[in-house]
């Protein structure tokens, strides 16, 4: 399916509020993971302002409650309702509890939470490498668990927040958990972000008959976010100096949330599925990482890679 052209006013500088201007989401229900800071908060704000009832799925429910209290003071009176649910993507039991507690249809699922460039090799309670376990497997378990609710919505959208960081590594199926190769925080992050894109490809193919669309995106280079809380900034500086890391122009959090909100709510992408977006448009393919500040690697949209990852992920979370 060819993607419709988004309006020329949608681009790198577009904000989430501009995307939902004129969009009515009353009667829709949404879940946004990692919604206690950064672009997660702005994603919630835009969806709720358009009328959606939004659940903030967060590890720290006190922080989530603080966000709800602040947004309720700032949002217009006709906005959707905000609630908080506990979700620790590293802890499979909390994912199962969140899924079990959900009742009724779910129209929008934004898999936004993530960790980035954890300096030391760390594992989740079930033994998975931390970034792959949190960024991909936790969201995989959540989305597949919520599939009946998504199917009941008759036209649900799943949004998978990836990153240009996927250019650092494809999914290394023979060593997902760094048990044989030396741990590297950047290839680990890259692998998890490639997995986020491949999840959208896999879900798009498997869930089409349920009326569910799934797309991935790069939000942009946003400084004001807790994503980098685990990063060694000296290591980042060295990496930048080496020329190994190229960064796109910076964005505000309001701009960073725009592509997530576009895929979650805009009628301009109705029916589009299995794609990777950035700056509110489909990304162009790139052939190599060197010098790239935009684009998507072919391996991140490869259907065979997506099918293999789906099978492996299903086995790991069951």
């Amino acid at each position: 399916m060819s993607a419709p052209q988004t309006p020329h006013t949608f681009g790198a500088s577009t904000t989430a509020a501009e995307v939902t201007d004129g969009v009515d989401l009353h009667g829709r229900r949404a879940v946004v993971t990692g919604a206690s800071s950064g672009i997660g908060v702005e994603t919630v704000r835009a969806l709720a302002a358009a009328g959606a009832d939004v659940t903030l799925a967060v590890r720290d429910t006190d922080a989530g409650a603080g966000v709800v209290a602040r947004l309720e003071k700032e949002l217009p009176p006709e906005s959707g309702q905000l609630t908080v649910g506990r979700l620790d993507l590293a802890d499979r039991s909390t994912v199962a509890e969140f899924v079990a507690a959900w009742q009724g249809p779910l129209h929008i699922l934004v898999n936004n939470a993530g960790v980035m460039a954890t300096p030391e090799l760390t594992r989740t309670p079930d033994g998975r490498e931390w970034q792959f376990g949190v960024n991909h497997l936790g969201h995989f378990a959540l989305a597949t668990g919520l599939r009946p609710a998504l199917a009941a919505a008759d036209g649900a959208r799943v949004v998978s927040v990836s990153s240009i960081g996927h250019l650092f590594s494809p999914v290394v199926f023979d060593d997902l958990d760094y048990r044989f190769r030396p741990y590297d925080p950047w290839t680990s992050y890259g692998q998890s972000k490639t997995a986020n894109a491949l999840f959208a490809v896999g879900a798009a193919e498997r869930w089409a008959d349920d009326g569910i669309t799934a797309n991935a995106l790069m939000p942009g280079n946003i400084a004001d976010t807790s994503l980098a809380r685990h990063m060694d900034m000296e290591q980042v500086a060295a990496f930048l100096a080496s020329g190994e890391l190229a960064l796109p122009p910076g964005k505000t959090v309001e701009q960073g949330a725009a592509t997530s909100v576009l895929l979650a709510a805009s009628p301009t992408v109705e029916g589009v599925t299995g794609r990777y977006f950035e700056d509110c448009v489909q990304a162009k393919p790139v052939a190599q990482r060197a010098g790239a500040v935009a684009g998507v690697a072919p391996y991140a949209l490869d259907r065979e890679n997506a099918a293999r990852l789906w099978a492996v992920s299903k086995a790991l979370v069951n």
Side-chain angles (χ1 to χ4, degrees), residues 139-202:
H139 280 129
F140 180 87
L142 177 68
T144 53
L146 289 172
R147 179 183 176 179
L150 293 163
D154 189 23
R157 299 188 186 190
V158 179
V159 180
S160 185
V161 179
S162 181
S163 167
I164 193 173
H166 80 274
L167 297 179
F168 289 128
S169 179
V171 174
V172 181
F173 289 100
D174 291 329
D175 192 20
L176 295 171
D177 296 311
Y178 288 82
R179 298 187 185 278
F180 296 94
R181 53 185 167 141
Y183 175 75
D184 176 79
W186 293 107
T187 60
S188 168
Y189 179 67
Q191 173 177 251
S192 72
K193 294 290 104 178
T194 295
N196 290 153
L198 289 173
F199 166 77
V201 175

Side-chain angles (χ1 to χ4, degrees), residues 252-276:
T252 66
V253 286
E254 293 84 3
Q255 293 167 337
T259 308
S260 294
V261 173
L262 176 98
L263 294 173
S266 176
T268 64
V269 293
E270 184 72 33
V272 176
T273 191
R275 309 300 176 87
Y276 179 99

Side-chain angles (χ1 to χ4, degrees), residues 208-230:
D209 289 345
D210 290 330
I212 302 168
T213 60
N215 293 285
L217 71 122
M218 156 64 170
N221 174 20
I222 303 111
D224 187 14
T225 173
S226 65
L227 178 64
R229 61 188 178 276
H230 298 294

